[in-house]
């Protein structure tokens, strides 16, 4: 069958994360469901396969999904012959779409053997069903790890697969089976480092690193993966070395290939994703009590970021209330008369005071600023991502849930494992600013 399938490997043990990565919240769904949605919205995959070592939770899946009824006869409507050892077949209709996609869900056969076992399980199940003649399935599958929250099918990789597989007259210049033989660095040339019968299309970064869990594999790679696993080999690179491979040059700085393996990496990625959707990106500086040093941290960040040419705004909450309208001023008289809002403009700027019965949203105020980034300084309030300021005598009192804490600034010992959040002292203002920018916590390069 022509066309390209899409396989999501989501059966890892998530040892460093401490919980199932596939079910981690991500935007309006989970890492798994959002990965599937981005895929089908960017490319017309002819079939999906999910490798996951737990039942598929239909309620966390976007759109409508239903199991296909097993049948002793040929394919009729929703009846489908699926060998019990090969997994379960579903139909999936993505949200806001009339398209219905066939989706195979399987589990690892080699337990606790890493992503190579996931590739083996998915590709061999696909091959078994196709060989049984029950349905036509694609020969090639774009195979992606669930822990890449920004991944979308790479057009560079897809183009090289299309030109090599769908256009057999594409010239072959090498039969190499290892990454050291790369000769092509162009994204548009019709000349590729390909093999007579390519079994994988492998993204390779400029620094030489491979991306085997964002590569295209022929379904026969499943048999080779099985042989490797039976010999005790678990590395994905062993599969790449064992099959004829097309190496596809990609940039070393491409966010789509970044993964999240620890709680901190997940929170950094989530901060980037959330701030990317905001008009003005924000970071909240919060504390568990007054007089902890929130203003010291915020002003130091403002100074460090401003010195780098970044326009920074500050939104500060005041739990005791405040006034800008003294009684003997024109604005004060207007407020006393009942004005809902007063504004004053001058040659050096303007000020606006809106009288409301409750505190306005700090986030709303930040979004109205004409700045590059905004800091929210608030006690126990504010939006994610959050920097928490703690004093050594009150280290145990977090002002928010631990999963909201991106970094801690403190004069005490490290209160949380380094995998949970970043830690800075009060004297490390420049390091804090550098980290925010290097990790693109503000959702963009500044």
């Amino acid at each position: 069958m022509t066309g390209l399938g899409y396989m999501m490997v989501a059966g890892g043990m998530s040892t460093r994360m401490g919980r199932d990565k596939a079910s981690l919240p991500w935007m309006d769904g989970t890492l798994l469901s959002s990965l599937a949605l981005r895929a089908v919205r960017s490319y017309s995959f002819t079939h999906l396969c999910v490798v996951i070592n737990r039942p598929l939770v239909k309620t966390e899946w976007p759109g409508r999904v239903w199991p296909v009824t097993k049948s002793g006869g040929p394919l009729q409507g929703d009846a489908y012959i699926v060998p019990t050892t090969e997994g379960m077949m579903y139909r999936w209709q993505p949200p806001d779409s009339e398209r219905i996609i066939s989706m195979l869900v399987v589990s690892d056969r080699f337990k606790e053997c890493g992503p190579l076992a996931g590739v083996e399980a998915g590709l061999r199940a696909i091959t078994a069903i196709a060989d049984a003649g029950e349905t036509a399935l694609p020969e090639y599958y774009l195979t992606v790890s669930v822990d890449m929250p920004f991944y979308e099918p790479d057009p560079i990789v897809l183009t090289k697969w299309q030109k090599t597989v769908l256009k057999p007259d594409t010239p072959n210049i090498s039969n190499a089976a290892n990454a050291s033989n790369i000769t092509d660095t162009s994204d548009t040339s019709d000349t590729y480092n390909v093999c007579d019968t390519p079994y994988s299309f492998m993204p390779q970064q400029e620094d030489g690193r491979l991306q085997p869990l964002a590569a295209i594999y022929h379904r026969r790679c499943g048999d080779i993966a099985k042989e490797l696993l039976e010999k005790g080999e678990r590395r994905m690179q062993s599969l790449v070395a064992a099959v004829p491979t097309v190496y596809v040059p990609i940039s070393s700085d491409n966010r789509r290939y970044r993964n999240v393996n620890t709680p901190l990496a997940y929170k950094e990625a989530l901060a980037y994703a959330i701030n990317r959707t905001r008009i003005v990106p924000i970071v909240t500086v919060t504390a568990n009590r007054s007089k902890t040093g929130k203003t010291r941290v915020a002003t130091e960040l403002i100074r460090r970021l401003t010195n780098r040419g970044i326009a920074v705004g500050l939104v500060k909450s005041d739990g005791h209330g405040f006034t800008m309208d003294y009684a003997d001023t024109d604005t004060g008289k207007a407020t006393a008369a009942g004005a809902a809002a007063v504004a004053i403009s001058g040659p050096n700027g303007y000020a606006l005071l809106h009288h409301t019965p409750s505190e306005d949203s700090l986030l709303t105020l930040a979004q109205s600023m004409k700045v590059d980034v905004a800091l929210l300084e608030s006690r126990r309030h504010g939006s994610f991502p959050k920097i928490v300021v703690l004093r050594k005598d009150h280290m145990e009192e977090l002002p928010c849930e631990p999963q909201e804490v991106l970094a801690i600034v403190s004069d005490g010992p490290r209160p949380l494992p380094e995998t949970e959040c970043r830690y800075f002292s009060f004297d490390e203002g420049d390091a804090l600013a550098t980290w925010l920018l290097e990790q693109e916590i503000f959702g963009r390069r500044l």
Side-chain angles (χ1 to χ4, degrees):
M1 176 183 181
T2 58
L4 183 65
Y6 190 72
M7 185 166 69
M8 293 168 283
V9 180
M13 297 177 64
S14 304
T15 303
R16 285 184 287 172
M17 184 64 72
R19 58 172 291 188
D20 175 32
K21 285 187 285 189
S23 63
L24 283 172
W26 190 258
M27 302 299 100
D28 295 329
T30 63
L31 283 181
L32 177 61
S33 65
S34 64
L35 180 66
L37 269 180
R38 291 194 304 275
V40 299
R41 287 173 175 172
S42 61
Y43 191 85
S44 297
F45 292 101
T46 55
H47 182 255
L48 298 187
C49 178
V50 181
V51 185
I52 187 168
N53 294 321
R54 62 171 173 82
L56 184 71
V57 181
K58 293 191 290 182
T59 56
E60 73 177 18
W61 203 257
R64 190 168 68 97
V65 61
W66 65 97
V68 175
T69 305
K70 292 180 181 179
S71 170
L75 179 62
Q76 294 179 350
D78 282 344
Y80 209 106
I81 305 172
V82 182
T84 57
T85 58
E86 308 304 345
M88 184 66 192
M89 192 72 75
Y90 290 85
R91 297 281 192 266
W92 175 38
Q93 184 175 21
D96 304 321
S97 173
E98 297 181 357
R99 184 182 175 199
I100 296 178
I101 304 170
S102 177
M103 181 169 65
L104 176 65
V105 179
V106 301
S107 298
D108 289 352
R109 311 179 208 225
F110 291 82
K111 303 302 181 184
E112 301 181 8
C113 289
L116 183 61
V119 173
E120 186 273 344
L123 294 181
R124 291 197 70 225
I126 291 164
T127 299
I129 294 174
D131 288 352
E134 294 163 1
T135 186
L137 294 180
E139 291 188 347
Y140 287 89
Y141 279 75
L142 175 56
T143 302
V144 181
S145 173
V146 73
D147 63 2
M148 295 196 294
F150 302 106
Y151 183 81
E152 293 184 3
D154 194 330
I156 297 175
V157 178
L158 292 175
T159 297
K160 291 202 173 182
W161 170 80
Q162 290 169 343
K163 289 186 175 182
T164 304
V165 174
L166 303 184
K167 295 182 179 181
D169 58 338
T170 300
N172 296 339
I173 63 172
S174 172
N175 290 331
N178 61 75
S180 64
N181 292 322
I182 290 182
T183 58
D184 173 47
T185 57
S186 169
D187 291 339
T188 58
S189 172
D190 286 339
T191 302
Y192 302 94
N193 175 33
V194 298
C195 310
D196 292 334
T197 306
Y199 268 32
S200 74
F201 292 78
M202 183 61 52
Q204 184 177 41
Q205 298 176 178
E206 295 165 337
D207 57 9
R209 287 183 295 171
L210 303 179
Q211 293 291 345
L213 288 174
I216 297 176
Y217 295 97
H218 192 284
R219 64 190 185 207
R220 294 300 179 185
C221 287
D223 293 333
I224 300 171
K226 175 177 177 292
E227 294 175 4
L228 292 169
L229 288 164
E230 288 175 340
K231 295 177 182 178
E233 182 58 68
R234 300 183 179 185
R235 298 179 304 145
M236 285 296 301
Q237 285 80 357
S238 297
L239 175 62
V240 179
V243 301
T245 297
V246 176
Y247 294 93
V248 186
I250 62 170
S251 169
S252 294
D253 186 19
N254 192 329
R255 183 169 288 274
R256 81 173 72 224
Y257 291 102
R258 296 187 189 180
N259 55 17
V260 292
N261 288 315
T262 65
L264 176 58
Y266 167 64
K267 287 191 282 189
E268 289 175 341
L270 191 60
Y272 171 87
I274 291 175
N275 266 333
R276 187 172 59 171
T277 65
R278 291 168 172 161
I279 299 173
V280 178
I282 69 164
V283 166
T284 296
V285 180
T286 186
N288 53 20
R289 56 184 64 206
S290 302
K291 309 299 182 183
T292 56
K294 297 192 306 296
T295 299
R296 175 182 173 182
V297 172
T299 53
E300 179 67 7
L301 268 179
I302 292 172
R303 185 172 70 86
R304 298 289 184 177
L305 294 173
T306 300
N307 287 343
R308 302 184 189 207
I310 300 169
V312 186
L314 176 67
V315 177
K316 181 180 175 67
S317 66
D318 191 329
H320 303 289
F322 67 95
T323 180
M324 291 167 52
D325 304 312
Y326 298 103
D328 59 348
T329 65
D330 291 341
T331 55
K333 294 175 183 178
T335 298
V342 293
I344 185 169
S345 177
N348 298 320
Y350 68 90
L352 172 65
L353 178 61
H354 191 180
H355 300 285
T356 60
S358 61
E359 181 182 28
D360 199 0
S361 164
L362 299 180
L363 180 59
T364 300
L365 293 173
Q367 298 305 283
S368 66
M369 289 183 163
K370 296 180 180 180
V371 294
D372 296 322
V373 301
L375 301 181
L376 308 186
E377 183 189 333
S378 176
R379 179 180 169 186
R380 299 182 183 273
H381 295 288
S383 302
F384 181 83
K386 293 183 178 181
I387 297 173
V388 172
V389 183
L390 295 178
R391 287 296 185 179
K392 58 185 177 183
D393 295 332
H394 307 285
M395 299 296 290
E396 73 287 353
E397 300 179 17
L398 287 176
C400 55
E401 295 298 322
Q403 63 267 23
E404 298 179 34
V405 182
L406 189 63
I408 287 178
V409 177
S410 176
D411 58 355
R414 297 179 184 271
L416 293 173
E418 288 189 71
T419 55
E420 296 289 340
C421 70
R422 287 296 299 264
Y423 178 91
F424 299 90
S425 69
F426 282 97
D427 297 326
E428 294 180 299
D430 190 62
L432 175 58
T434 298
W435 170 69
L436 289 171
L437 295 175
E438 287 183 347
Q439 299 302 318
E440 299 181 21
I441 302 301
F442 293 113
R444 63 201 69 174
R445 293 187 183 276
L446 297 170

